[in-house]
Each structure stands twice: as structure tokens, then as C-alpha cells.
Amino acid sequence: MSDRYNHKISEPFWQNEWSQKKVFETENDLNKKKYYVLEMFPYPSGKIHMGHIRNYTLGDVVARYKKMQGFNVLHPMGWDAFGLPAENAAMTEKKNPEEWTYSNIGVMRNQLKSMGLSIDWRREIATCHPDYYKHEQSFFIDLFNNGLAYKKNSLVNWDPIDKTVLANEQVIDGRGWRSGALVEQKHLSQWFLKTSAYSNELLADIEKLDNWPNKVKIMQSNWIGKSEGQQIKFKISQNNTTNIEYIEIYTTRADTLFGASFCALSTQHPLSIHLAKSDNKLNQFIEENQNKDPDKEKNGYKTKLYVEHPLKKDLEIPVFVANFILMDYGSGAIFGCPAHDQRDLDFAIKYNLKILPVILPKNTKKENFKINNVAYTEDGTLINSYFLDGLSIKDAQEAVYKKLKDKNLSTKKTNFKLRDWGLSRQRYWGCPIPMLYREDGSIVPVDKNDLPVKLPKIKFISEGGNPLNTIENWKNTTCPLTGMKAKRETDTFDTFFESSWYFLRYCNPRSEEALEKDKIDYWMPVDQYIGGVEHAILHLLYSRFFVKALRDLKYFNFDEPFQGLFTQGMVTHQTYKLNKKWLSPEEVRYDEIQKKYLNEKNVEVEVGKIEKMSKSKKNVVDPTEIIKTYGADTARWFMLSDSPPERDLEWTDVGISSSYKFINRIWRMVSGVVDGDKSGYSDDNNKNLNSKLNTCIINIEKNVEEFHFNKSIANIYELVNNIQKAVENKSASYEGLIDLFKKMSLILQPFVPHLSEEIWRKVGGKGLAVSQKWPEKTKEVIETNTKTAIQINGKTRLIISLPRKYKENEVFEVIKNDKKIDKYIKNKKIKKIIFVPEKILNIVV
RNA sequence: GGGCGUGUGGCGGAAUGGUAGACGCGAUAGACUCAAAAUCUAUUGAGGGCAACUUCAUGGGGGUUCAAGUCCCUUCACGCCUACCA
């Protein structure tokens, strides 16, 4: 009799069985009902971390459960394989990015396999493979031909020492992360996708996403940032050295027009740039203030220009160039109403501009209303505004619009915060953008027959700059149409481009066609997508855009890629510090006697906050070590227990070892019965246990569907505890117990699949547990009695077990003479009795 | 500044407006053991009582209700996201 469950033998064995019997290979039967489970695919950084374990465990529970429910399940895996870390490794360790990436993939694939995931590995994709990225090059050409991709100048972060472009996350406190140099803003001509063409649809369709977390929907909606306002023209009145007649501003608060005391232009505004040509001081101001710096004080430069107030002829308003006006929102110019906008107020105080309140709060007298250094931004009625006085904010906006529209000075305009997606990256390790710059100056796409444009092989990357620029025999080519000399685009795609359609490719990962319509129609949309909330905006929004754009290019006909979304919490761990240096968990131990945390030299260690596992804080636990020591099932069980999946999960040593104990407890219980003495069993408890099993199945189904895996785990504990009691006192029949074990092993399958198989085999189950149907609920309700709480004035005084079918008067008859109840109701008048069947009976006295 | 969310035992967490604390961890005591680990059994929100029992408890303060962790108002604390978006 083997007392211990040996995961080291068992887990590889069953993983091999599953693979040999091809149980996770998706069926081609397109008539069967389908279920597509997807976890966000990993970046092949080198090894998996606890976040991955949690993510893929959650997905695997869903996938295995749905498979047992009879669905044709698609549960694929791949690699988000382009990106910066490969280039960093190429620079710092002189490694070839391609080899580095594929070798990491090899390691991580094995690590994932050791988790026992129900993945169809035939469908594995790596986005850095030409067979993958050739299709997105083709999509890009389609987008270009349909006006959804275009080129324009835009600002990038430029590191003047490394002579390279930096991604936003590589800029730390305004400095390059490697060189430490102050980052400059530099204009470069770059490729964009017209995400803005879909602003309205991206916003409106959020409503269709019923199975998304509300907070993600709100984040997306805020990011798209729709606002409705007016574009108003202010006539330039004095010192007009330009041929520009008007300054156009965008406002959502046209009602505050009479409170205007200045206009402000962005430093990038064409008029600012024009004025700077003949104004050295302005030129200097623009240079000093054009870099984005959120902490910088509001600064302005007063130009010689004035504009006329559009509704008050005699009022002249000064024009400033100011550092807090964004060029790429609205028209890059505003009018400032200091009384009702905090930014404008700060600015007005600094430059001593007039502050005239025009909105009066309700129940306030005009004489008593003063603006000091807090702007009033709430609701109210108009004052100091001539014909608008007394109107509501909304009516005033409408009245202003009516007045100005006839003079052609105002138009209604809807603005979005959402901008077009800048795709170009001045990087080597990405998908080449399939465009050519012909010597006659025109820009043409590569002929689709010449795809893929493969990345040229390189050994490693020397410091600074994109190597594609210097590989002449790759860069120089000819135009397929004219034979003219041409140069290739040397920028590569943002890696969000690859992740915007990988879920489509999984449907037909090896087909010559990018997307096979029948497969896409069958599998899409993804039924359940699972990943970190950090992708709530960009990745999910780009993917939604991509699907809509490809739909309009007639690749398929659906609107949203992800039917259901679940965002999991982080895996956290206690941090430790000594002399301001972080210590890893292995360097720290808890001393029971001293009740202190000590390092190896018995020096007391400072216990820090519980934070997300990260290398920099050293609070990481390596999942491969955990799987080696305790097994994949233990790791999975711990990931699922206690904390609800959407919340943070704290990794603790006692947590993992108690999971391990439970796994062993189940095995001991089963093997003890099967290998033990078969005599002496009674069947007193069979009925009761079947009832518990039934309840357990009902609860688990509900909890798995709702992603309350922590509660499913509690359901299983309850069931196992009940069975174990019966095993110990042999109060259920042997056959009954074996039958329970069979069903229990199937219930365990989605959570701890290896142990499930082991039990299934031990109790003589045929075939594999993973291929069985999810156990059915028995129809009979076994327990005839239920506990009813008897309350007096809403306070529970007695809990009594009564037949389920009892009515109010029957319950009352039973309890009215109970001495506990009697003492509360005797000599009192019963005013009312409230009865909820099978729950409570409340006597109001 | 804006948005979202969370406050329940020593801890993680359960509770369609209807028995607050399921389940797990930890802790205490006992059994087994030469001893420990493992395992098993019992107890475990706080206070009072020999006891039957009883009082108080879901961040704080109000309210609605026969009944509030749950609904409403108000207030405090913490966390996350986002930010000159006119």
C-alpha cells in the first residue's frame, strides 16, 4: 500500500498518456457545440512566473470543465515573441535575438507542459515566425489600400546618447533607462492606423460586452473619451501680422463664454510656430516648454495678438502660448474661463487676468459668491452674461450656439480622446512593415506575392540605432510595379499588432490562407478570455479595432473578438529588507521562539509590504521549483483556493504545504479503502453521502460558471470531509464508497487533473478520467428536513429541524410550546408572524 | 484633480434583504511515537455565567424594514487605474 501520492512519477505519466491519446486535440466536427477558452499568451522572457501559473490554471479549469460538459473545446497556446527584451539580450549578452527567443520558448514550453495543461499543442504559434507575420503584413497592405493606414509626422522619445528611439516605458523620470540622458522629443514620419475611424463603434459596442468586468468597460470608455462641444471662432483683431483671420477653439463649456479672459495656444499650434518666426522670445519659450512634463508649473507667453470676443464686440482678449495646451486634442487652442476651470484659474492668477464668475450655484446670492483659488465647476445658473442670464448651463450652450451659428462662428463637434494608433517602432526585433520608398518619392506597398518581407538574420545588435538601417542589401530593392529603385521601410510594427489577431490565427494555425472563413465562423468569438487587468485598455482595444477593421475588409462577419473576459489578480508575496536592500524569501526564516524574521546570520530582518512578485523586490518564488517539490496539482490547488481569482493572491509557504497535505489526504483516503480490509462496512450513510455529492455537484457547477473557484474548492473540501468521516467509521458500503470515489475523481478533474486520473484508475474507472462526462446531478432531493430559524422580533432564538413541506401554522404549532420560545411570547401579544418557507419564522410581539 | 474598487474573527475569505463567520490557514489541548514530523480527535469571534443561557459584534454615525454585512444618506481609512483631454 503506497501511503504517499508520488507526483514525481504520476504527473509525467498522465501528461504522457494525454498526449499519446491526443485527448486535447480539438475535434474537426464543426457541428458540435464549441467553446473557445483563451489565456493571454506569454512573452517568452526565459521562464514562467507565478502570474502565468495562476492565469493558465484558471483557464485550464474552464477548459477541462467545458470539455467534460461535452463541448468541443479550443484551448491553444503560443508566444508573443517579438519585443524589446530580445534586443536587450542581444545588446547586453551579445545573443542573437532569434536564437534567444526560440531557446526561451523551448524552456517555457516544457515548464507549461509540466503544469498538465489541456492545451492543443498542434496549434502552437510564435509571432516571430514568418509564417505568422506574413499574414499581418498582408493585412497591413489591405488596411493601407483602404485608407486605414497612413503616414504622418509625430513626436517620439529620442535618446541622444544611445541615438535611439525609446518606448514610453523605457523613459523613467524623463531620462533614458540605459543612458540616463535627458530624453528629447523628436519629429519622425511614422505609420498610423485609423483607430479613430472606429471611435463611435468601439464605444457603442462596449454595451454588447455583457461578460466583461464593468471596470474594464469603464476604462475603455474613458480612454475613448467622447465629448460633445462646439468649435468657436475668435476673430484676430490687432497686430495681425498673419493672414490667419481666426483662432478656432474647442469647448464643452460654451455657456461660460462671457467669463473668457484669455485664449491659449499649444506650443505646437501652427499659429504659435508662425509667430515664433518673428519673435525670438516666443521661439525660446516654445523650445523650453514643448516637452511634456506633468509636474511642470503652468507657463504662458503673452503674444502681441488679441482676439475679439465673439458675442461682445468691445471686449478684446489676449492670446497666450501656453505649455498646458495639448495640440492633439480639440483644435490645440482654448479660451480660458478662470472662474469655472481650475487650470484656467491657476493660469489667470499667475498672469493676473480677470476672473469673472458666470455660473451661480443654486441657493447662493450673487453678492456672496466669490471665486478665490478654487474654480467652481458644478451646476448652476448663468449670471454676468447678458442674454444668457438665468439660463441653465445646457440652455446657455444652446443659446450661444444659435447666436454664433448664423455668423458661421460656431459648429457643433464631437471629440474623442482616442487617437490613431502609432504603429512604427524603430526596432530590429519586430515584424517588418511591408512598404517601399521609391526613388521617385512615392510610397508603395510590397507586392503581396513577395510576402513575407523577412527580417534579415543578424548576429547581435551593437549599441544604438536600428540595424535594419545599415543592412544595405536588405534595405535596397526595386519596385515590383515599375522596376524603379526603392528602399524598404526599416521600421517594424508595434508588437501590439501581433497580439491583435493571434486569437484568430489559432482557429487555423497552419493554413496557407490567413483566415479560413468556416473555421473562423465556427470558433469565433473567444468565449472566455483570461488575463491581467494591465491589458484592460491597449491590447483589448487594439484587438477590438482589428476585428472591426478586418470585418470591414470582408474577412469575416462578427463585431467583437472576446465574448467573455476575466481579469485575474496579481500574485503577491511578503517583502523583506535589510539595510535598505531587498532580500529574497530563501534568505529569510521565521524564528518561532524569538517571533522574529531573521536572515542566515540571525540578524533581524525588516518585514516590508506585501507586493506583486517582482525581480526588483526579490519577492519571487520560482514555480518550477514548486512543481518539482510539491507537484503541479498542489500548485494548481493553491492557486485556486482561498482568494477569489479577481483579487490578489498572497503566496505563502504554509499555504502551499497545506495544499500538498490535502492532495495527499485524498489519496490516502482512496487507497486506504481500495487496498484495505473490505469487511465491516455498513450502508447507513449511503443515502446521506449521495445527497452531499449531489449538493456538491450543483454548487461546483454554479461556482465554476461564475468564476468563483475559491468556493468550488470549499465545496470539494466539504465533500471530502464528509466522505472521510464515513470511511473512518465504515458507515457507508464499500461499493457505495467506490462509486463516490469515481464521481469525486471526475469532480476533481478540472482542478487537480493528475490526481483525478490516479484515483479514477485506482477505483477501476475505464479509460481516462479527462475523457469522461461531468457527473450528473441526481434528481431526487434526499433530505426531507430543513433547518428553520425561529425569530422573536427579528432575533434568532431557536433553530429547529423541520420537514421541508411544513406550513406556517404547522411550524408555529411545533414551536409555540418550546420553552425557549414560550418565555418570549407568554404574557405578550403577538402582533404579526412572518414566515419564509424553509428559512425563518419571525414572531413580532 | 478624475474614475473604479475594498473595509466581516489572529489570517485568507463565505453569506438570492431571512440562522453572520461556510471552507481553508493558524492556534490550543489530546491520541499515536523513545522523540519529532506526518496523521487522527476535540475546541477556537469577543465579553459575562458553575450551568441552562445571555450580551455585544461585519470601519464610524444616522435611516428604511418584522428582519440590514447586504438597501438609502453621511463620514473615515486603504488600494488600484488614469490624468493639464478644454
Side-chain angles (χ1 to χ4, degrees):
Chain A
M1 180 168 112
S2 59
D3 195 33
R4 282 233 150 176
Y5 171 66
N6 192 341
H7 68 267
K8 284 184 187 168
I9 295 168
S10 190
E11 292 187 349
F13 176 81
W14 292 113
Q15 285 160 20
N16 189 47
E17 281 294 292
W18 296 329
S19 162
Q20 295 292 311
K21 307 245 162 81
K22 302 182 193 303
V23 288
F24 305 128
E25 294 191 3
T26 303
E27 296 163 49
N28 277 326
D29 179 3
L30 300 190
N31 294 315
K32 202 173 172 186
K33 56 182 177 170
K34 66 96 183 182
Y35 198 89
Y36 188 175
V37 195
L38 184 66
E39 303 96 359
M40 290 179 183
F41 66 164
Y43 178 80
S45 56
K47 55 182 180 181
I48 54 170
H49 53 69
M50 284 300 176
H52 292 129
I53 302 277
R54 193 174 196 197
N55 193 188
Y56 300 127
T57 300
L58 297 175
D60 204 48
V61 171
V62 177
R64 286 175 183 267
Y65 173 75
K66 290 288 175 183
K67 179 176 159 55
M68 293 178 84
Q69 294 273 17
F71 287 89
N72 189 14
V73 171
L74 176 56
H75 187 210
M77 182 60 70
W79 310 95
D80 189 13
F82 276 133
L84 272 176
E87 290 198 11
N88 296 336
M91 276 190 261
T92 57
E93 298 165 45
K94 302 283 179 226
K95 290 201 171 137
N96 173 300
E98 185 178 352
E99 283 171 20
W100 183 86
T101 302
Y102 279 113
S103 121
N104 286 347
I105 287 175
V107 171
M108 290 173 73
R109 185 193 296 117
N110 284 337
Q111 292 180 331
L112 288 182
K113 285 189 171 175
S114 75
M115 283 179 69
L117 301 175
S118 61
I119 303 280
D120 183 354
W121 284 101
R122 293 174 308 168
R123 291 173 185 261
E124 180 181 0
I125 55 176
T127 58
C128 64
H129 198 285
D131 283 346
Y132 181 81
Y133 68 66
K134 71 179 177 193
H135 299 298
E136 73 186 43
Q137 290 177 335
S138 173
F139 293 148
F140 181 79
I141 292 169
D142 291 340
L143 292 166
F144 174 79
N145 289 334
N146 284 275
L148 287 170
Y150 66 97
K151 238 190 155 193
K152 78 167 181 197
N153 261 310
S154 120
L155 287 173
V156 294
N157 304 308
W158 177 255
D159 185 321
I161 290 183
D162 277 357
K163 293 200 172 30
T164 185
V165 171
L166 299 178
N168 283 333
E169 61 269 23
Q170 291 175 308
V171 181
I172 298 154
D173 297 329
R175 289 173 182 275
W177 66 306
R178 283 167 60 80
S179 68
L182 272 177
V183 169
E184 296 169 5
Q185 300 291 304
K186 196 173 165 179
H187 279 281
L188 280 184
S189 177
Q190 306 197 72
W191 288 101
F192 283 83
L193 290 187
K194 250 193 198 162
T195 40
S196 62
Y198 289 85
S199 303
N200 262 323
E201 199 192 334
L202 286 167
L203 183 66
D205 282 359
I206 289 175
E207 284 190 26
K208 293 185 190 169
L209 305 171
D210 296 332
N211 291 321
W212 280 40
N214 224 3
K215 73 171 170 188
V216 175
K217 294 201 273 189
I218 290 166
M219 281 160 95
Q220 291 225 348
S221 154
N222 290 342
W223 190 262
I224 295 166
K226 186 174 183 169
S227 79
E228 278 163 8
Q230 299 177 37
Q231 195 119 314
I232 297 176
K233 288 179 184 171
F234 283 64
K235 191 168 197 298
I236 298 172
S237 59
Q238 287 179 25
N239 282 322
N240 196 353
T241 60
T242 76
N243 47 17
I244 302 169
E245 252 187 288
Y246 294 99
I247 294 176
E248 251 188 304
I249 63 90
Y250 175 73
T251 181
T252 55
R253 291 299 302 274
D255 53 297
T256 62
L257 198 52
F258 284 103
S261 57
F262 67 95
C263 276
L265 307 173
S266 161
T267 54
Q268 314 291 317
H269 194 281
L271 183 55
S272 306
I273 291 162
H274 176 81
L275 291 173
K277 281 179 194 159
S278 54
D279 185 341
N280 268 334
K281 282 186 182 163
L282 175 57
N283 199 26
Q284 203 185 335
F285 175 84
I286 291 175
E287 264 181 32
E288 286 167 5
N289 286 284
Q290 70 175 349
N291 283 2
K292 262 198 209 166
D293 185 353
D295 300 328
K296 206 163 183 177
E297 199 189 337
K298 287 181 182 49
N299 268 325
Y301 178 88
K302 192 174 179 204
T303 68
K304 296 187 184 81
L305 291 187
Y306 280 82
V307 288
E308 292 172 6
H309 190 283
L311 289 172
K312 202 177 167 196
K313 268 278 139 42
D314 50 331
L315 183 62
E316 303 255 296
I317 295 172
V319 176
F320 287 76
V321 175
N323 66 344
F324 67 98
I325 311 301
L326 304 172
M327 189 58 222
D328 39 14
Y329 184 76
S331 60
I334 60 142
F335 81 77
C337 174
H340 305 293
D341 184 295
Q342 194 59 45
R343 293 158 303 180
D344 296 348
L345 182 61
D346 296 344
F347 193 79
I349 290 169
K350 181 165 177 181
Y351 294 101
N352 204 18
L353 300 164
K354 197 178 171 193
I355 301 164
L356 175 70
V358 291
I359 307 290
L360 186 68
K362 278 207 177 85
N363 308 320
T364 308
K365 284 189 175 162
K366 196 175 160 184
E367 309 83 74
N368 300 336
F369 183 54
K370 289 254 154 37
I371 299 285
N372 292 315
N373 49 21
V374 180
Y376 180 73
T377 54
E378 311 280 301
D379 204 6
T381 42
L382 274 283
I383 50 166
N384 298 329
S385 297
Y386 307 90
F387 68 98
L388 301 176
D389 283 357
L391 293 182
S392 70
I393 289 177
K394 216 173 169 209
D395 291 344
Q397 289 171 353
E398 206 49 36
V400 166
Y401 174 68
K402 273 192 189 138
K403 263 264 167 32
L404 292 179
K405 152 185 92 168
D406 299 334
K407 297 184 215 163
N408 218 8
L409 291 178
S410 176
T411 47
K412 289 203 174 169
K413 204 181 164 197
T414 302
N415 259 325
F416 293 92
K417 283 197 223 174
L418 180 67
R419 302 192 191 144
D420 283 345
W421 175 8
L423 264 188
S424 302
R425 295 292 180 272
Q426 293 69 37
R427 294 285 166 192
Y428 167 75
W429 192 236
C431 171
I433 301 176
M435 298 300 286
L436 301 174
Y437 299 91
R438 227 157 55 185
E439 62 178 347
D440 67 352
S442 53
I443 304 174
V444 293
V446 171
D447 189 310
K448 279 200 176 188
N449 293 318
D450 295 340
L451 296 181
V453 176
K454 283 194 189 172
L455 262 185
K457 305 245 178 209
I458 57 161
K459 283 210 178 83
F460 55 85
I461 300 172
S462 52
E463 306 275 323
N466 177 357
L468 293 180
N469 270 321
T470 58
I471 304 174
E472 295 298 329
N473 65 353
W474 180 81
K475 196 167 139 187
N476 295 311
T477 182
T478 51
C479 169
L481 300 170
T482 59
M484 252 188 257
K485 278 187 187 169
K487 285 191 190 306
R488 291 191 188 282
E489 171 65 78
T490 58
D491 286 351
T492 51
F493 285 134
D494 176 3
T495 57
F496 276 122
F497 201 80
E498 282 85 57
S499 57
S500 292
W501 71 284
Y502 76 108
F503 46 88
L504 297 167
R505 186 62 182 166
Y506 279 139
C507 302
N508 46 261
R510 303 283 175 264
S511 68
E512 200 35 55
E513 264 179 281
L515 306 169
E516 289 179 315
K517 204 162 176 306
D518 58 330
K519 304 269 171 52
I520 299 284
D521 285 348
Y522 175 69
W523 286 115
M524 288 301 293
V526 174
D527 295 277
Q528 185 63 60
Y529 197 32
I530 306 166
V533 73
E534 65 272 19
H535 294 111
I537 298 173
L538 293 183
H539 162 58
L540 291 170
L541 195 62
Y542 290 149
S543 300
R544 295 182 59 219
F545 158 77
F546 217 86
V547 159
K548 290 175 193 300
L550 290 185
R551 175 202 61 197
D552 291 347
L553 297 173
K554 306 282 184 267
Y555 277 97
F556 44 72
N557 191 26
F558 61 93
D559 302 323
E560 287 289 338
F562 312 118
Q563 181 93 61
L565 174 71
F566 185 87
T567 54
Q568 97 232 26
M570 300 179 294
V571 181
T572 62
H573 195 284
Q574 183 81 259
T575 55
Y576 304 101
K577 257 183 173 178
L578 185 64
N579 301 327
K580 294 188 178 169
K581 276 189 185 158
W582 300 103
L583 295 181
S584 71
E586 299 97 80
E587 296 172 284
V588 180
R589 63 179 182 87
Y590 182 70
D591 189 291
E592 294 281 349
I593 298 153
Q594 299 184 53
K595 307 243 183 261
K596 279 175 183 170
Y597 287 88
L598 307 174
N599 74 356
E600 287 124 333
K601 291 173 185 158
N602 294 324
V603 180
E604 187 176 358
V605 163
E606 186 190 333
V607 175
K609 276 199 266 185
I610 295 164
E611 298 199 60
K612 179 181 179 179
M613 283 190 183
S614 75
K615 274 186 207 161
S616 62
K617 289 183 180 131
K618 284 196 167 184
N619 61 339
V620 287
V621 175
D622 181 5
T624 51
E625 283 304 311
I626 296 297
I627 290 176
K628 255 188 220 155
T629 316
Y630 298 101
D633 281 346
T634 299
R636 292 168 63 117
W637 187 261
F638 178 65
M639 284 294 160
L640 297 167
S641 13
D642 290 0
S643 291
E646 68 278 9
R647 289 207 213 160
D648 288 354
L649 169 78
E650 193 197 345
W651 182 273
T652 60
D653 290 344
V654 282
I656 190 73
S657 66
S658 68
S659 297
Y660 186 62
K661 285 179 195 171
F662 183 64
I663 300 286
N664 283 295
R665 175 148 73 97
I666 298 177
W667 179 247
R668 238 184 352 261
M669 174 177 82
V670 173
S671 60
V673 170
V674 175
D675 301 335
D677 177 9
K678 291 175 182 58
S679 65
Y681 286 97
S682 81
D683 61 0
D684 300 349
N685 244 326
N686 282 24
K687 216 174 170 189
N688 180 34
L689 285 176
N690 278 320
S691 159
K692 301 277 193 215
L693 175 76
N694 201 37
T695 313
C696 178
I697 295 170
I698 292 168
N699 287 337
I700 289 186
E701 284 179 10
K702 181 168 176 284
N703 289 327
V704 168
E705 299 282 352
E706 291 171 359
F707 259 80
H708 295 153
F709 298 138
N710 56 320
K711 293 192 221 164
S712 309
I713 297 294
N715 300 145
I716 292 173
Y717 270 112
E718 230 159 338
L719 178 70
V720 171
N721 290 346
N722 280 316
I723 300 178
Q724 200 171 358
K725 280 216 177 76
V727 167
E728 268 155 27
N729 48 35
K730 297 199 168 184
S731 65
S733 68
Y734 180 81
E735 293 73 24
L737 286 174
I738 296 298
D739 190 54
L740 276 170
F741 289 157
K742 272 194 182 171
K743 296 209 169 104
M744 181 187 75
S745 77
L746 299 182
I747 290 171
L748 288 171
Q749 171 59 219
F751 307 95
V752 282
H754 310 88
L755 177 67
S756 155
E757 294 288 0
E758 206 67 38
I759 295 172
W760 181 253
R761 184 171 62 174
K762 185 87 180 170
V763 297
K766 291 205 172 71
L768 290 165
V770 66
S771 304
Q772 308 304 310
K773 285 267 170 296
W774 180 253
E776 288 204 23
K777 294 164 277 209
T778 48
K779 303 241 162 55
E780 44 173 340
V781 176
I782 290 114
E783 285 189 85
T784 48
N785 276 20
T786 181
K787 281 177 183 164
T788 299
I790 310 303
Q791 303 179 332
I792 310 294
N793 289 342
K795 282 205 167 189
T796 303
R797 297 296 177 184
L798 177 68
I799 296 163
I800 188 168
S801 185
L802 294 169
R804 282 182 190 277
K805 54 177 200 255
Y806 263 33
K807 302 226 167 53
E808 176 178 328
N809 55 341
E810 290 171 298
V811 176
F812 188 72
E813 281 308 309
V814 174
I815 57 100
K816 73 174 181 190
N817 292 321
D818 187 283
K819 64 176 180 190
K820 278 191 198 167
I821 298 302
D822 182 59
K823 79 177 182 194
Y824 289 104
I825 57 175
K826 75 172 171 199
N827 307 326
K828 299 236 170 80
K829 201 176 145 198
I830 293 171
K831 276 196 203 161
K832 204 201 257 187
I833 294 177
I834 290 120
F835 179 66
V836 182
E838 298 180 27
K839 289 236 169 81
I840 59 125
L841 180 102
N842 187 11
I843 302 164
V844 186
V845 295

